[in-house]
Amino acid sequence: MKEKINVSEIFGSHVFNDSVMKARLPKAVYKDLKKTIEEGTELNPAIADVVANEMKEWAIEKGATHYTHWFQPLTGVTAEKHDAFINPTDDGKVLLEFSGKELIKGEPDASSFPSGGLRATFEARGYTAWDCTSPAFIKETDNACILCIPTAFCSYKGEALDKKTPLLRSMQALDIQTTRLLNVLGNKNVKRVSTSVGPEQEYFLVDEEKYKQRKDLIFTGRTLFGAMPPKGQEMDDHYFGIIKPRIEGFMKDLNIEAWKLGISAKTEHNEVAPAQHELAPIYNSNNVATDHNQLLMETMRRVARRHGLKCLLHEKPFAGINGSGKHNNWSMITDAGVNILDPGKTPAENTQFLIFLTAIIKGVDQYADILRVSAASHGNDHRLGAAEAPPAIISIFLGDQLQDIFDQIEHGEATSSLQGGKMRVGVNTLPYLNRDATDRNRTSPLAFTGNKFEFRMPPSSGSISGPNFVFNTIVADALKEFADQLEKAEDFNEAVHDLIRDTYIAHKRIIFDGNGYSEEWKQEAARRGLPNISNTVDAIPALITDKAISLFERHHVLSRLELHSRAEINYEAYIKQINIEAKTMIDIASKQIRPAVLKYAGSVAQSLAAIKSVGGDTSVAEELLQEINENIAQFHKALKHLEEVAEQAQLLKGSSRSQAVFCRDYVFEAMQALRVPADALEMLVDEDVWPFPTYGELLYNI
Ligand code: ADP
Ligand code: MG
């Protein structure tokens, strides 16, 4: 018999969630807090002490000794500073205390977090502020048990220094404009609209002992060397394949740990590449989904260690086989629980649906460059546009049915081929739309999948905050324009119809239903004037164009200053990452590969001499030695070159943009050039002397 897992008991057991609050807080306090959480009203400071005390009591019962303000600085990982609950008393003992003040606000010394010039070190103070819309939780590791309070992190002057702040602001912007437009459309009961998000997380698992023998994985998260194994993913036998027992053990444990934290881990399966897997939770509010995804990545890493595994979240841990992404599923839901992106059953609902769809098309086309930078990272550069899903050009896939409807709207009062009704959107005679889940286009970076949009560009290791706050804002902006127009329309039906048609015509270039990998699409996209931004360095400027600044300022999501600081941080992160990779490569090449190859070449030379001395045929040994010599000479030259440019990069003066451009054009290129002879040598040298585990050993030995 299997040990029974009581899922409903485990689920959320480490979360200070609604049911815990309801059970433990005085009724009036609970009601007050709930109003803040649900309606976004200001928090009543008078209740903070009561909430804090109850939180502490609950946490102590669960074994917690410390609390922390848990936040997401611009490093890409989460941050926490633990404080014990203790407060000394006169008799030399301690009381365990946690005040409302401590709950609401923290003042970590923030000088070591990236600020992109927003905060001079003499103004080191930063603030963390409680985000009560994301529930507090207990993080239990093998050695600690901490009450974690999700917080936003900003500078002394209130500028956002984290990933959460712009996300919350963008959710509010979208709420305002969506509600407004719904009201204009006669949907007067809607008070609030929230975004819901379900991120599918891809990852690799490799054996921890093998991992430890690879400095590239340790320092950079990806392999910098490695010849392709005899078998890659060409057999398509891993995707949805049977899960190996050791991986099953990991997944079981991971589910339990995720469930404890209230993360609704739902779907798990093997992915396309060997050793690659995926986990998808059930969707949640945008803010909570974003926090949960950060927690999930952390939990994956922790649980993997328990199983002697290493979880690789890098976008491209192995060259030549599929990388990892994070598909961000996104929709808008009213306070009554209605999904606005659900085509609906009645023509009236259809009209509303089509207006929102049109707004999204407009927003994405107008701001494709900003959406692109939201998914850009050094690691993702290996993925986007590199002959795997998805391409670097942003386009939208709608599916046949919707495409057909838009075509008819575009060409006037066409008769619908689908139901024979008159196509005149404003007058409520649109045909019934079936939910179209079968028509999937796997190459599209942004696909409409029945009742949500799936954005497939985001990097597997990154926070989903960026892609979401950008998406929320660009959609809010299009909705704002629509609401502005419709509010003053004289003939409402006519106005709606024209709005959909004209907007569609103006922005339909962003729609593409074909093969996103093909060379023809690149050419076609260029003809259409769509941006094709192949790397992070070229993507970053989109953050600080006049267009971007006015967009984000208009919706109070980020200011000019905050945007500039983010662009700066992105450049810095890129430069640092390339430098670390270059140094790691130099280290491995000089201290591991070169000595191993020379040693092996020596032994081949010895064999050759021995064969010669007995008058044998030396042709094979000679040929091998020559091939090794040619490659090691090329290798040595490439290594010297990499050393030179890496050093130049360190000494560069000038803007961070110019440094990043240098890193991309010289350092990164030099790294690619060094890899080629190294991988060739791996195929020539005795596997017993090769100094670290190969792709084959990493990908297949679990
Ligand atoms: P697939 O791999 O076919 O795209 P998955 O089941 O792996 O599908 O993932 C789909 C994701 O989309 C899940 O996280 C799911 O919760 C999420 N999702 C479903 N409906 C919505 C919605 N209305 N809004 C946001 N996310 C959604
Ligand atoms: Mg999936």
Side-chain angles (χ1 to χ4, degrees), residues 125-152:
R125 257 182 310 173
Y127 288 113
T128 48
W130 179 31
D131 166 24
C132 63
T133 60
S134 181
F137 58 92
I138 285 178
K139 195 152 83 182
E140 193 183 3
T141 62
D142 292 341
N143 303 311
C145 187
I146 316 282
L147 168 65
C148 297
I149 294 141
T151 54

CSV table of all heavy atoms in Angstrom, one decimal, residues 125-152:
chain,number,residue,atom,x,y,z
A,125,ARG,N,18.7,53.9,2.5
A,125,ARG,CA,17.4,53.4,3.0
A,125,ARG,C,16.5,53.0,1.9
A,125,ARG,O,16.3,53.7,0.9
A,125,ARG,CB,16.8,54.4,3.9
A,125,ARG,CG,16.9,54.1,5.4
A,125,ARG,CD,16.2,55.1,6.2
A,125,ARG,NE,16.6,56.5,5.8
A,125,ARG,CZ,15.9,57.5,6.3
A,125,ARG,NH1,15.0,57.4,7.2
A,125,ARG,NH2,16.3,58.7,6.0
A,126,GLY,N,15.9,51.8,2.0
A,126,GLY,CA,14.8,51.5,1.1
A,126,GLY,C,13.7,51.0,2.0
A,126,GLY,O,13.9,50.7,3.2
A,127,TYR,N,12.5,51.0,1.5
A,127,TYR,CA,11.4,50.5,2.3
A,127,TYR,C,10.7,49.3,1.7
A,127,TYR,O,10.6,49.1,0.5
A,127,TYR,CB,10.3,51.6,2.3
A,127,TYR,CG,10.7,52.8,3.2
A,127,TYR,CD1,10.9,54.0,2.6
A,127,TYR,CD2,10.8,52.6,4.5
A,127,TYR,CE1,11.2,55.1,3.4
A,127,TYR,CE2,11.2,53.7,5.3
A,127,TYR,CZ,11.4,55.0,4.7
A,127,TYR,OH,11.8,56.0,5.5
A,128,THR,N,10.3,48.4,2.6
A,128,THR,CA,9.5,47.3,2.1
A,128,THR,C,8.1,47.6,2.7
A,128,THR,O,8.0,47.9,3.9
A,128,THR,CB,10.0,45.9,2.6
A,128,THR,OG1,10.3,46.0,4.0
A,128,THR,CG2,11.2,45.5,1.8
A,129,ALA,N,7.1,47.4,1.9
A,129,ALA,CA,5.7,47.7,2.4
A,129,ALA,C,4.8,46.5,2.1
A,129,ALA,O,4.8,45.9,1.1
A,129,ALA,CB,5.1,48.9,1.6
A,130,TRP,N,4.1,46.1,3.2
A,130,TRP,CA,3.3,44.9,3.1
A,130,TRP,C,2.3,44.9,2.0
A,130,TRP,O,1.6,45.9,1.8
A,130,TRP,CB,2.5,44.8,4.5
A,130,TRP,CG,1.6,43.6,4.6
A,130,TRP,CD1,1.7,42.4,4.0
A,130,TRP,CD2,0.4,43.5,5.3
A,130,TRP,NE1,0.7,41.6,4.4
A,130,TRP,CE2,-0.2,42.2,5.2
A,130,TRP,CE3,-0.3,44.5,6.2
A,130,TRP,CZ2,-1.4,41.8,5.8
A,130,TRP,CZ3,-1.5,44.1,6.8
A,130,TRP,CH2,-2.0,42.8,6.6
A,131,ASP,N,2.3,43.8,1.2
A,131,ASP,CA,1.3,43.7,0.1
A,131,ASP,C,0.2,42.7,0.6
A,131,ASP,O,0.4,41.5,0.5
A,131,ASP,CB,1.9,43.2,-1.1
A,131,ASP,CG,1.0,42.6,-2.2
A,131,ASP,OD1,-0.2,43.1,-2.1
A,131,ASP,OD2,1.4,41.8,-3.0
A,132,CYS,N,-0.9,43.2,1.2
A,132,CYS,CA,-1.8,42.2,1.8
A,132,CYS,C,-2.6,41.5,0.8
A,132,CYS,O,-3.4,40.6,1.2
A,132,CYS,CB,-2.7,43.0,2.8
A,132,CYS,SG,-3.7,44.2,2.1
A,133,THR,N,-2.5,41.8,-0.5
A,133,THR,CA,-3.2,41.0,-1.5
A,133,THR,C,-2.5,39.7,-1.8
A,133,THR,O,-3.1,38.9,-2.6
A,133,THR,CB,-3.4,41.9,-2.8
A,133,THR,OG1,-2.1,42.2,-3.3
A,133,THR,CG2,-4.2,43.2,-2.5
A,134,SER,N,-1.3,39.5,-1.3
A,134,SER,CA,-0.7,38.2,-1.5
A,134,SER,C,-0.4,37.7,-0.1
A,134,SER,O,0.3,38.3,0.7
A,134,SER,CB,0.7,38.4,-2.3
A,134,SER,OG,1.3,37.2,-2.5
A,135,PRO,N,-1.0,36.5,0.2
A,135,PRO,CA,-1.0,36.0,1.6
A,135,PRO,C,0.4,35.7,2.1
A,135,PRO,O,1.2,35.2,1.4
A,135,PRO,CB,-1.9,34.8,1.5
A,135,PRO,CG,-2.0,34.4,0.1
A,135,PRO,CD,-1.8,35.6,-0.7
A,136,ALA,N,0.5,36.0,3.4
A,136,ALA,CA,1.8,35.6,4.1
A,136,ALA,C,1.9,34.1,4.1
A,136,ALA,O,0.8,33.4,4.1
A,136,ALA,CB,1.8,36.2,5.5
A,137,PHE,N,3.1,33.6,4.2
A,137,PHE,CA,3.2,32.1,4.2
A,137,PHE,C,4.4,31.7,5.1
A,137,PHE,O,5.3,32.6,5.4
A,137,PHE,CB,3.4,31.6,2.8
A,137,PHE,CG,4.6,32.3,2.1
A,137,PHE,CD1,5.8,31.7,2.1
A,137,PHE,CD2,4.4,33.5,1.4
A,137,PHE,CE1,6.9,32.3,1.4
A,137,PHE,CE2,5.5,34.1,0.7
A,137,PHE,CZ,6.7,33.5,0.8
A,138,ILE,N,4.5,30.5,5.3
A,138,ILE,CA,5.7,30.0,6.1
A,138,ILE,C,6.6,29.2,5.2
A,138,ILE,O,6.1,28.3,4.5
A,138,ILE,CB,5.2,29.1,7.3
A,138,ILE,CG1,4.6,30.1,8.4
A,138,ILE,CG2,6.3,28.3,7.9
A,138,ILE,CD1,4.1,29.4,9.5
A,139,LYS,N,7.8,29.6,5.2
A,139,LYS,CA,8.8,28.8,4.5
A,139,LYS,C,9.5,27.9,5.4
A,139,LYS,O,10.2,28.4,6.3
A,139,LYS,CB,9.8,29.8,3.8
A,139,LYS,CG,10.5,29.1,2.7
A,139,LYS,CD,10.9,30.1,1.7
A,139,LYS,CE,12.2,30.9,2.1
A,139,LYS,NZ,12.6,31.9,1.1
A,140,GLU,N,9.4,26.6,5.1
A,140,GLU,CA,10.0,25.6,6.0
A,140,GLU,C,11.1,24.9,5.2
A,140,GLU,O,10.8,24.2,4.2
A,140,GLU,CB,8.9,24.7,6.4
A,140,GLU,CG,9.4,23.8,7.6
A,140,GLU,CD,8.3,22.8,7.9
A,140,GLU,OE1,7.2,22.7,7.3
A,140,GLU,OE2,8.5,22.0,8.9
A,141,THR,N,12.3,25.1,5.6
A,141,THR,CA,13.4,24.4,4.9
A,141,THR,C,13.9,23.3,5.8
A,141,THR,O,13.4,23.2,6.9
A,141,THR,CB,14.5,25.3,4.5
A,141,THR,OG1,15.1,25.9,5.7
A,141,THR,CG2,14.0,26.5,3.6
A,142,ASP,N,15.0,22.6,5.5
A,142,ASP,CA,15.5,21.6,6.4
A,142,ASP,C,16.0,22.2,7.7
A,142,ASP,O,15.9,21.6,8.7
A,142,ASP,CB,16.6,20.8,5.7
A,142,ASP,CG,16.1,20.0,4.5
A,142,ASP,OD1,14.9,19.8,4.5
A,142,ASP,OD2,16.9,19.7,3.6
A,143,ASN,N,16.4,23.5,7.6
A,143,ASN,CA,17.0,24.0,8.8
A,143,ASN,C,16.3,25.2,9.4
A,143,ASN,O,16.7,25.7,10.5
A,143,ASN,CB,18.4,24.5,8.5
A,143,ASN,CG,19.3,23.3,8.0
A,143,ASN,OD1,19.2,22.2,8.6
A,143,ASN,ND2,19.9,23.5,6.9
A,144,ALA,N,15.3,25.7,8.7
A,144,ALA,CA,14.6,27.0,9.2
A,144,ALA,C,13.1,27.0,9.0
A,144,ALA,O,12.6,26.2,8.1
A,144,ALA,CB,15.3,28.2,8.6
A,145,CYS,N,12.5,27.8,9.7
A,145,CYS,CA,11.0,28.0,9.6
A,145,CYS,C,10.7,29.4,9.7
A,145,CYS,O,10.8,30.0,10.8
A,145,CYS,CB,10.3,27.1,10.6
A,145,CYS,SG,8.6,27.0,10.4
A,146,ILE,N,10.3,30.1,8.7
A,146,ILE,CA,10.3,31.6,8.6
A,146,ILE,C,8.9,32.0,8.2
A,146,ILE,O,8.4,31.5,7.2
A,146,ILE,CB,11.3,32.2,7.6
A,146,ILE,CG1,12.6,31.5,7.8
A,146,ILE,CG2,11.4,33.7,7.7
A,146,ILE,CD1,13.5,31.9,8.9
A,147,LEU,N,8.3,33.0,8.9
A,147,LEU,CA,7.1,33.6,8.4
A,147,LEU,C,7.5,34.7,7.3
A,147,LEU,O,8.3,35.6,7.6
A,147,LEU,CB,6.4,34.3,9.6
A,147,LEU,CG,5.2,35.3,9.2
A,147,LEU,CD1,4.1,34.5,8.6
A,147,LEU,CD2,4.7,36.1,10.4
A,148,CYS,N,7.0,34.5,6.2
A,148,CYS,CA,7.3,35.4,5.1
A,148,CYS,C,6.2,36.3,4.7
A,148,CYS,O,5.0,35.8,4.5
A,148,CYS,CB,7.7,34.6,3.8
A,148,CYS,SG,9.2,33.6,4.0
A,149,ILE,N,6.4,37.6,4.7
A,149,ILE,CA,5.4,38.6,4.4
A,149,ILE,C,5.7,39.2,3.0
A,149,ILE,O,6.7,39.9,2.9
A,149,ILE,CB,5.3,39.7,5.5
A,149,ILE,CG1,4.9,39.0,6.8
A,149,ILE,CG2,4.4,40.8,5.1
A,149,ILE,CD1,5.6,39.5,8.0
A,150,PRO,N,4.9,38.9,2.0
A,150,PRO,CA,5.1,39.5,0.7
A,150,PRO,C,5.1,41.0,0.8
A,150,PRO,O,4.2,41.6,1.3
A,150,PRO,CB,4.0,39.0,-0.2
A,150,PRO,CG,3.6,37.7,0.5
A,150,PRO,CD,3.7,38.0,2.0
A,151,THR,N,6.1,41.7,0.2
A,151,THR,CA,6.2,43.1,0.3
A,151,THR,C,6.6,43.7,-1.0
A,151,THR,O,7.3,43.1,-1.8
A,151,THR,CB,7.2,43.6,1.4
A,151,THR,OG1,8.4,43.0,1.1
A,151,THR,CG2,6.8,43.3,2.8
A,152,ALA,N,6.3,45.0,-1.2
A,152,ALA,CA,6.9,45.8,-2.3
A,152,ALA,C,8.1,46.5,-1.8
A,152,ALA,O,8.2,46.8,-0.6
A,152,ALA,CB,5.8,46.8,-2.8
